[in-house]
Amino acid sequence: MPKAYWIARVDVHNMDGYKQYVAENGPVFAKYGAKFIVRGGQFEAKEGTSRTRNVVLEFKDYATALACYNSPEYQRLVEMRKPHGESDLVIIEGYDGPQPGE
């Protein structure tokens, strides 16, 4: 069963307000076994549009990734985060098939 990912791109307009979301999301992500793969960090946009912050979270599977996002605990955090920035979020199933050169 392939893993799943949240791919988020965020423009934060009020860092003080956004910090509360960051401070409170850890227990929710831990409950669903999420692991940060990317959390901010240096980047260079080569094509298309970008936002100032990028985050990738890994989950054990697609159902768990959806359950985390749809949980009441995380939806409370979404409402907390919304006034402080703009986000794009994709929840996507990973790929576990053949790789180039295999």
Side-chain angles (χ1 to χ4, degrees):
M1 179 178 302
K3 293 181 180 182
Y5 302 88
W6 286 15
I7 302 171
R9 302 175 328 127
V10 184
D11 283 331
V12 178
H13 303 304
N14 175 4
M15 187 53 80
D16 290 335
Y18 189 80
K19 284 179 184 178
Q20 186 66 33
Y21 163 79
V22 172
E24 293 190 32
N25 66 22
V28 177
F29 293 152
K31 177 180 177 180
Y32 290 90
K35 176 183 173 186
F36 282 102
I37 304 299
V38 174
R39 191 173 193 183
Q42 183 174 287
F43 76 96
E44 188 171 321
K46 293 294 192 180
E47 295 183 28
T49 60
S50 66
R51 294 198 181 264
T52 56
R53 182 171 176 79
N54 299 287
V55 178
V56 177
L57 281 165
E58 179 182 80
F59 293 83
K60 71 177 183 175
D61 57 34
Y62 187 66
T64 303
L66 288 175
C68 181
Y69 185 82
N70 293 324
S71 71
E73 303 96 328
Y74 190 72
Q75 287 304 302
R76 181 183 70 80
L77 295 174
V78 169
E79 293 306 312
M80 176 188 298
R81 183 192 72 223
K82 279 184 180 179
H84 307 295
E86 296 177 36
S87 301
D88 300 316
L89 175 69
V90 174
I91 300 174
I92 189 166
E93 185 175 50
Y95 176 73
D96 64 358
Q99 295 294 333
E102 291 183 353

